[in-house]
Amino acid sequence: MMEVNEHDTSQYNELIAFRLGEQEFCVDIMSVRDIRGWTPTTPLPHSPDYVKGVINLRGSVLPVIDLSARLGFRSTEPTARHVIIVTQVGSQSVGLLVDAVSDILTITSETIQPTPDVASELARCFMKGVLAIEGRMISLIGLDSVIAATHEGTGTLN
Amino acid sequence: MDTMAAIKQTFFQECEEQLAELETGLLAIESQQVDDDTINAVFRAVHSIKGGAGAFGLDELVRFAHTFETVLDLLRGSQIEAAPPLVKLMLRSSDTLADLVRYSRDGGEMDQARVGQLHDELMQVVNPVATPACAQSAEPHAGDDEAGGDDPEAFFPVTVTFDDLIGENSDDDGQIVFNVWFKPKPELYAKANDAAKLLRELRALGEADIACDRSDVPLLSELDPEGAYLAWNVRLVTSAGESAVRDVFEFVEFDCEIRIEAEPSVEPDFEFTPEPVAEIGPAEAPADSPAIPQAVLERLAEFAPEQAAKAAAPSAGASPAQQAQTTIRVDLDRVDRLIDLVGELVINQSMLAQRVTEAGIARLSDVAVGLDDLEQLTREIQDSVMAIRAQPVRPIFQRMSRVVREVADMTGKSVRLITEGENCEVDKTVIERLTDPLTHMIRNAIDHGLESPEERVQAGKPEQGVVRMTAAHRSGRVIIEVSDDGSGINRERVRSIAVDKGLIDADAQLADNEIDDLIFAPGFSTASAVSDVSGRGVGMDVVKRSIQALGGRIAISSRPGKGTAFTLSLPLTLAVLDGMVVTVAGQTLVVPLTAIVETLQPKNSDVHGLGETARVISTRGAFIPLIDVGRELGYRDCEADPVGSVAIMVESENRAQSALLVDGIIGQQQVVIKSLETNYGHVFGVAAATILGDGRVAVILDVDAIVAGSRSDPARSEGANRKRNAA
């Protein structure tokens, strides 16, 4: 982890890191509303494979996306050990199904490197960059593109 | 500035209420129910609008309202008669006033010529009798403080008369002596007003000698603890005018007896003590008064804060009789938040109940009994909260009377609108979204439904056509009917138009009601020329769609020569829905109860294949398409075995029946509708989602979409597959 300069917080971002299989990813902590254990979802008809369905989040209906499948990896067979990260972008909330939450990172924006070209095109549209932390590579996920693309996937009118 | 904007917004909200009041009153006058209360209410409404408008510098509005008010004042003073032409003029003026208010609020340019013309017509009513200025001074109450039209306070009719006019008694210093006799009624205290405060306010105006008149106080044994027995004589020497003195009692005018008399004597006489003086101390006054103990007052204030607030803030719209009914203004967002929370409470309660049952706790144990009570309470809370959103349909019915007037004028037909059931309550959202469809239906009824006066006379009907609009509650829904006594639907013509437009085949065999239903078909319009009235390129199909979007249904019935009736059946609220909970391929779904006609268990012999994939079920001699919900929603690939499943007969658009095949029925329950669109998006075949007793989400079927989808099955499932593959 990096040291935090108390006096200049605008330069620093806190991120939540999580694992999907062998790889590590992270999202901006400001867009995370909740982290909860896996609960069975209600599948939605005619939804793309990566939409696991919807769950009841304190009275509102929250769609859960299998992030692994969304990024073009294997789809997840969720167990009680899996985790749903509830994220919010704008007025919209979406749950991301991931293997496990691993870390909270504090980074400066300079630490973010551009996504290497080798990544698949699908993965690259959701990644805003990569971070090298203690010898690990962590990909930063752009939530807005995940949520926007989810919308397209449903073929909605709104 | 923000405060100003907020006050202005409140003003416009109040204007809407005043306008509604005005229209109600005028309509009552029109139907010959003229009484003083009605005329006063009408006058007050216009006066309040004028007053508020003056405070905001809305000069145009003030000018028109002033002239209108002048006419109403003549009416009030019985100087003119409420003859039909005058009432019509006043109704038109009320429409224009409403327009002026709306233009002042939303901006935009008013049709000056129309306002000017109406203004002139109103002036003509005024002029033969008196000039506006005379009319103003002829008002039987002290109207001087409002002459500028900038009195933002509501107007209250003054119930007392006084002999002397202001100024006559004033001496050189401008000091006037008033003798005020003030006797509160019990209502004054009941509204948490305090006589001492009023007296103190009076004293603030000048030198006051206050004497308590205890002559009416009975013996203790006869004393009503909530009665009011004290009166006060006040001799007030003040430089303030009579209106200022009167203003002190403005809020309590109806709750006390009061006489204010200016004394001819000029010199202030401080030694003047007509009766033993009881000095009114700030706190002792209520304690002094045996009528209402302070504790009672406080409790009253506690229990009825709204009433107290209401008494303090005059509502101009309410006539004295209605004042007991109090309202508060609440932001709609807050109400919706409350409704959401209560929805969650209901879910939580049923989850708890389910857990308790699962835990094997006996039905008669304390826990289970307590839960039953909780359930009942939750239901009651839910009902009460839903009732907050419920509003009477009256405003929209009133708006329709204006539509009727306008369309009648435009088409040259004489029309009478009869409304019934205005107090019927429906969810606010439903009401808001009813305006357009109802306007359209009314226009249609007058333009297409009613015949011209000559034709009516020929047909032996009264010259004046009748459009009837009724609202009623029926089995958890509200039924609104718009009917006319016109010629009914010309089926020959409807049919030939439908053939012309390619809606039906020329040799199609249609029953009468099927022909009637054709007018709901998109692109159908019977008017040979697109008239200014009901044209505009929209037809009844738009009406039908907007009603369906509200979860309602529309039906038509017509009798040649007798008239046509449209019946709307609408849900009372958009927040909850009665549903049948069913299982399909291991999933729990909710089918809206309104769509369901009946359920049955199909026998093997009932089900017949039709073509390659389609199946029908025979029931009562009819073959009805059988739709496998599980397959339709993509929950399973192969057709379910109808035996052991349940067929739900549903009625969709065009009253066509279909059978939905589901695995089993769990039960029937009221569910809270949750939007899927907020966080996800629209899903084919799904109307919304809900949360069931076990806390899990279940989808609510969109029956119409599923039925329509099954007809175009191959194309649609291909599309769905494509979507899936692309993703």
Side-chain angles (χ1 to χ4, degrees), chain B residues 165-452:
Chain B
L165 288 173
I166 308 150
E168 263 179 37
N169 314 300
S170 59
D171 63 8
D172 296 337
D173 311 328
Q175 296 267 322
I176 320 167
V177 181
F178 290 103
N179 278 323
V180 180
W181 183 77
F182 166 55
K183 182 167 196 291
K185 296 181 195 168
E187 290 85 30
L188 182 137
Y189 298 111
K191 287 177 184 164
N193 280 307
D194 186 343
K197 277 192 192 135
L198 297 166
L199 294 171
R200 233 176 290 145
E201 223 174 296
L202 210 53
R203 202 165 52 181
L205 291 175
E207 296 286 337
D209 285 327
I210 303 172
C212 185
D213 174 3
R214 286 178 289 205
S215 54
D216 281 356
V217 178
L219 290 174
L220 191 59
S221 55
E222 290 154 21
L223 187 116
D224 173 5
E226 299 205 349
Y229 302 104
L230 292 185
W232 283 273
N233 276 308
V234 182
R235 186 167 188 280
L236 178 69
V237 183
T238 174
S239 53
E242 166 137 12
S243 59
V245 179
R246 207 158 277 284
D247 276 351
V248 170
F249 298 97
E250 189 177 3
F251 299 151
V252 296
E253 221 156 22
F254 298 113
D255 302 322
C256 65
E257 291 169 55
I258 185 162
R259 269 199 308 273
I260 300 173
E261 280 163 16
E263 203 175 86
S265 94
V266 171
E267 275 305 303
D269 179 8
F270 297 112
E271 275 75 52
F272 178 81
T273 39
E275 274 174 60
V277 177
E279 191 58 48
I280 303 292
E284 299 95 88
D288 253 330
S289 128
I292 298 277
Q294 182 70 23
V296 173
L297 271 177
E298 273 167 8
R299 283 198 55 204
L300 279 169
E302 214 174 278
F303 279 116
E306 292 98 332
Q307 270 95 328
K310 182 79 175 185
S315 159
S319 65
Q322 289 171 325
Q323 263 185 345
Q325 209 177 16
T326 58
T327 55
I328 49 165
R329 255 180 247 284
V330 183
D331 212 24
L332 202 56
D333 283 349
R334 289 195 195 177
V335 176
D336 288 348
R337 171 95 188 112
L338 187 64
I339 288 174
D340 268 8
L341 282 173
V342 170
E344 281 165 42
L345 180 69
V346 171
I347 292 162
N348 227 294
Q349 180 272 324
S350 53
M351 261 163 81
L352 198 59
Q354 203 160 334
R355 297 284 144 79
V356 167
T357 319
E358 279 165 14
I361 291 170
R363 294 244 1 118
L364 287 174
S365 71
D366 289 351
V367 175
V369 171
L371 260 177
D372 283 348
D373 291 348
L374 180 66
E375 178 173 358
Q376 204 153 2
L377 270 177
T378 341
R379 288 260 164 245
E380 272 175 38
I381 293 177
Q382 193 179 23
D383 288 349
S384 327
V385 167
M386 292 301 174
I388 298 179
R389 275 193 70 99
Q391 306 263 310
V393 293
R394 181 187 303 278
I396 186 167
F397 273 30
Q398 277 172 352
R399 216 174 301 176
M400 290 310 129
S401 64
R402 172 173 183 178
V403 173
V404 168
R405 282 199 296 280
E406 285 176 354
V407 180
D409 275 355
M410 246 182 269
T411 53
K413 293 174 184 174
S414 164
V415 186
R416 193 153 58 99
L417 177 72
I418 299 176
T419 57
E420 274 167 37
E422 294 103 321
N423 289 327
C424 211
E425 288 191 336
V426 195
D427 187 278
K428 189 172 160 58
T429 323
V430 178
I431 291 184
E432 279 163 3
R433 286 158 64 180
L434 266 181
T435 314
D436 285 350
L438 276 184
T439 308
H440 206 82
M441 284 160 70
I442 293 272
R443 285 182 166 172
N444 261 315
I446 299 172
D447 196 25
H448 302 312
L450 294 181
E451 314 92 328
S452 66

Side-chain angles (χ1 to χ4, degrees), chain A residues 40-51 54-63 70 91-94 122 150-158, chain B residues 344 347 351 587-588 631-635 674-686 689-692 695-699 716 720 723-724 727:
Chain A
T41 58
T42 302
L44 289 175
H46 310 298
S47 59
D49 290 344
Y50 57 81
V51 176
V54 285
I55 58 166
N56 163 21
L57 179 76
R58 290 186 296 273
S60 64
V61 176
L62 181 84
R70 174 77 271 211
S91 62
Q92 217 179 355
S93 299
V94 168
L122 186 62
T150 305
H151 247 255
E152 275 164 35
T154 64
T156 68
L157 300 168
N158 49 326
Chain B
E344 281 165 42
I347 292 162
M351 261 163 81
Q587 297 299 327
T588 309
R631 199 156 155 257
E632 202 56 41
L633 294 180
Y635 285 158
K674 299 277 176 182
S675 163
L676 255 184
E677 269 90 348
T678 324
N679 289 325
Y680 188 65
H682 181 72
V683 179
F684 171 82
V686 174
T690 187
I691 295 166
L692 294 177
R696 289 197 55 180
V697 178
V699 296
R716 194 198 47 76
K723 241 178 265 165
R724 205 168 308 172

Side-chain angles (χ1 to χ4, degrees), chain B residues 92-228:
Chain B
R92 270 166 54 219
S93 306
S94 115
D95 292 346
T96 304
L97 192 66
D99 285 344
L100 279 167
V101 166
R102 267 157 220 150
Y103 280 111
S104 310
R105 182 184 57 199
D106 306 330
E109 269 307 299
M110 192 62 201
D111 183 355
Q112 294 295 343
R114 190 157 70 93
V115 180
Q117 193 202 336
L118 211 52
H119 191 265
D120 291 346
E121 279 180 56
L122 287 172
M123 286 309 279
Q124 266 171 14
V125 178
V126 177
N127 270 327
V129 188
T131 66
C134 293
Q136 194 71 10
S137 65
E139 285 178 30
H141 65 281
D144 309 64
D145 55 327
E146 317 136 5
D150 56 3
D151 170 21
E153 299 290 357
F155 165 76
F156 277 81
V158 176
T159 48
V160 288
T161 54
F162 44 94
D163 308 313
D164 300 309
L165 288 173
I166 308 150
E168 263 179 37
N169 314 300
S170 59
D171 63 8
D172 296 337
D173 311 328
Q175 296 267 322
I176 320 167
V177 181
F178 290 103
N179 278 323
V180 180
W181 183 77
F182 166 55
K183 182 167 196 291
K185 296 181 195 168
E187 290 85 30
L188 182 137
Y189 298 111
K191 287 177 184 164
N193 280 307
D194 186 343
K197 277 192 192 135
L198 297 166
L199 294 171
R200 233 176 290 145
E201 223 174 296
L202 210 53
R203 202 165 52 181
L205 291 175
E207 296 286 337
D209 285 327
I210 303 172
C212 185
D213 174 3
R214 286 178 289 205
S215 54
D216 281 356
V217 178
L219 290 174
L220 191 59
S221 55
E222 290 154 21
L223 187 116
D224 173 5
E226 299 205 349

